[in-house]
Amino acid sequence: MTIPTLLLVGCGKMGGALMRGWVSSPIPPRIFILDRKLQDAPAGCTIFRTPEEITPDVKPDIIVLAVKPAGAEAMLSSLKTVLGERMNHTALLSVMAGKSCEKLASWCGRADMPVIRTMPNTPSCVGAGATGLYASPHVSQVQKDLAIRLMEQVGTVVPVPHEEDLRTVIAIAGSAPAYIFYLAELLEKVGQDFGLDAHASRALVRGMIYGVGKMLHELPEDAETLRKNVTSPNGTTAAALSVFMKEEHWPRLIPEAAKAAIKRSRELDD
């Protein structure tokens, strides 16, 4: 099996999570890191502070772009200059929101640049992410398979057939951890308001969310069945759900929240 060579551009929260997943895998890739601030890298990784420091022996199979969207164009322009012909033998894997394959390819100076866009979420930092992945038509099957294997190091990967589908991925998985964190925040506060101390409320809520996630991940039943299984007729759970399930509450608010995320993702493309 050929060990791939990666150039990881940006090693912040998401880039760092990916790096940790890759170096801990049974057969880690060869990793070069381009990051101004990273102090230390795991054994076997090489750090460059600027694109100009990249040495001629670096011939990446995939460039992983994990910088802020505002800095992407300048970074890719610099890499195009430094790597030269080497850009013709690599694919670009982006973990940014809001920049299309066409735009990223143009910044690389190649209309036919193989671009893979991914939408990982923050649980990737603990190896439990959920990532949507779209490969442009210029991506080979070998490159797509490699990208999927790389992203699987930090969680579940779901390929999508259309680039536009990534907007939905953002709404229901990419941004959604914040929805769950907010639910936990509110439940913890309710527990305290009704008499529990902060430690007890926090432990109960976080244990509950962990357990629910584990059930959803490991059990074969769908979410609706699991909900019904825990809801005794006329019981306490049914009483609480009768509030959440009013037409003007969750059935309306969840789609509205998703639409707001999708709308904002389109605005970020501009």
Side-chain angles (χ1 to χ4, degrees), residues 22-201:
W22 294 333
V23 298
S24 64
S25 64
I27 305 177
R30 187 183 184 200
I31 303 173
F32 294 92
I33 301 169
L34 176 58
D35 191 283
R36 291 181 180 274
K37 298 180 180 179
L38 186 66
Q39 296 301 313
D40 299 298
C45 297
T46 301
I47 302 177
F48 301 114
R49 300 298 176 193
T50 67
E52 291 70 27
E53 291 181 12
I54 298 174
T55 52
D57 63 308
V58 178
K59 299 176 180 179
D61 296 297
I62 287 188
I63 297 170
V64 181
L65 188 64
V67 298
K68 299 289 187 184
E73 182 176 6
M75 177 58 72
L76 289 175
S77 178
S78 295
L79 287 174
K80 177 181 65 174
T81 300
V82 170
L83 294 178
E85 285 296 313
R86 287 173 284 176
M87 285 289 280
N88 296 328
H89 305 283
T90 187
L92 180 69
L93 191 160
S94 170
V95 299
M96 298 186 311
K99 300 303 176 185
S100 68
C101 290
E102 181 180 5
K103 185 169 291 185
L104 291 169
S106 70
W107 291 345
C108 291
R110 285 182 58 194
D112 64 345
M113 181 74 182
V115 178
I116 302 145
R117 286 187 60 197
T118 66
M119 289 290 110
N121 60 11
T122 52
S124 298
C125 71
V126 292
T131 297
L133 180 147
Y134 169 77
S136 73
H138 303 295
V139 176
S140 70
Q141 190 61 49
V142 170
Q143 291 169 328
K144 182 178 179 180
D145 290 343
L146 174 57
I148 291 172
R149 289 200 306 273
L150 290 171
M151 298 308 296
E152 283 178 339
Q153 296 298 322
V154 293
T156 300
V157 177
V158 179
V160 295
H162 308 292
E163 187 169 9
E164 185 71 12
D165 294 334
L166 291 176
R167 301 191 195 282
T168 305
V169 171
I170 291 171
I172 68 165
S175 298
Y179 316 160
I180 307 303
F181 294 145
Y182 188 47
L183 176 62
E185 178 185 343
L186 293 175
L187 287 173
E188 288 179 22
K189 185 176 185 303
V190 166
Q192 294 176 60
D193 289 345
F194 290 174
L196 295 177
D197 65 45
H199 175 77
S201 188

